[in-house]
Amino acid sequence: MNQGAGKGANVSGLPVSRRLQQKEAKRAALVDAALKVFSRVGFAAAKMDDVAEEAGVSKGTVYLYFDSKERLFEAMVRDKMAPALDEAVESFTVSDSSATERLRQHLRSLYARMLDGDRRQIMRLIMAEGPNFPHLAAFYHQRILSHGQGLIRSIISQGVASGEFRKMEGHGLARNIAAGAIVAAIWKLVFDHLQPIELDSYLETHVDLVLNGLRA
């Protein structure tokens, strides 16, 4: 009898949990390789062969995990951007802080998320190539932007109900609140070598403008 094929093992002799860990590690390495390739040559010009070469695997291995560049891009968004946003949404549901403090903390967290190297590169790809790949822009909007705006709207609603914020009618409030972080990310990518941003001061100015603009 094959002692390695007992309970909890597969045909390779490895425990199932170890095999799943190795598979997930390989998948994550492919996502990292795709991000490097897409950032270097752009999404449109990138090939699955390039991703395979960057990861040090065969092209067939890439296709075992992802059947197209589009699926690789979606995996990048889920792996690199969604967890931090999901954590922010979860923290909102359990926090007992005031709406003012929640919004202040959320903006600080938003800057940290958007100015992270990987996330900033993904946003750059969306801005540069989203018009030519509308399905990718739609995925990013559905998975990231809409959830982020929903969280801001929830905080604003709490502040209106508590009397901290004035009620502001019309469209675009959540997008306007997030806009400062988007501009900072774009600036860091394109213009920072010409006119560097001092991010701490920039962030505090943004927070001050938003909170004073909303104050009841």
Side-chain angles (χ1 to χ4, degrees):
M1 179 178 176
N2 184 357
Q3 298 297 319
K7 184 178 179 180
N10 53 51
V11 293
S12 68
L14 290 173
V16 173
S17 60
R18 175 73 62 82
R19 182 170 179 271
L20 290 175
Q21 289 173 357
Q22 291 180 344
K23 184 176 181 180
E24 182 55 32
K26 178 62 69 65
R27 177 192 171 280
L30 292 173
V31 169
D32 288 341
L35 178 56
K36 290 178 182 177
V37 171
F38 295 167
S39 298
R40 186 167 62 239
V41 304
F43 180 82
K47 299 179 175 61
M48 296 292 263
D49 290 304
D50 301 327
V51 176
E53 182 177 355
E54 181 71 36
V57 300
S58 69
K59 182 178 177 180
T61 298
V62 181
Y63 277 106
L64 284 175
Y65 290 82
F66 304 100
D67 61 12
S68 67
K69 289 194 301 180
E70 286 77 7
R71 299 291 87 77
L72 262 170
F73 184 89
E74 292 172 3
M76 283 194 311
V77 172
R78 284 192 296 265
D79 291 6
K80 304 294 186 181
M81 305 197 79
L85 177 58
D86 293 343
E87 182 180 335
V89 172
E90 182 179 355
S91 68
F92 172 80
T93 63
V94 300
S95 173
D96 58 0
S97 300
S98 67
T100 298
E101 186 57 30
R102 281 180 171 176
L103 188 55
R104 179 181 288 112
Q105 292 302 321
H106 177 65
L107 284 173
R108 289 172 177 164
S109 174
L110 179 62
Y111 272 76
R113 294 197 308 271
M114 294 190 69
L115 292 168
D116 168 84
D118 286 348
R119 300 184 187 106
R120 192 169 61 192
Q121 290 298 332
I122 293 172
M123 191 173 69
R124 180 178 68 83
L125 285 166
I126 281 290
M127 289 187 294
E129 307 205 44
N132 295 322
F133 297 93
H135 53 293
L136 296 183
F139 177 83
Y140 185 87
H141 180 272
Q142 184 274 329
R143 186 63 185 87
I144 303 300
L145 295 183
S146 62
H147 284 271
Q149 292 175 49
L151 176 56
I152 291 175
R153 284 193 290 267
S154 296
I155 297 172
I156 298 302
S157 295
Q158 177 200 351
V160 171
S162 67
E164 296 170 71
F165 301 151
R166 60 194 175 98
K167 187 174 183 179
M168 298 178 66
E169 302 293 345
H171 300 288
L173 180 58
R175 278 170 285 179
N176 273 280
I177 290 173
I182 296 172
V183 170
I186 295 171
W187 196 279
K188 292 292 286 184
L189 281 167
V190 181
F191 303 114
D192 205 53
H193 67 291
L194 300 172
Q195 186 181 4
I197 289 179
E198 206 295 299
L199 278 175
D200 289 340
S201 298
Y202 181 100
L203 167 59
E204 292 310 315
T205 298
H206 183 199
V207 171
D208 183 70
L209 287 170
V210 168
L211 291 179
N212 279 295
L214 289 171
R215 189 163 291 133

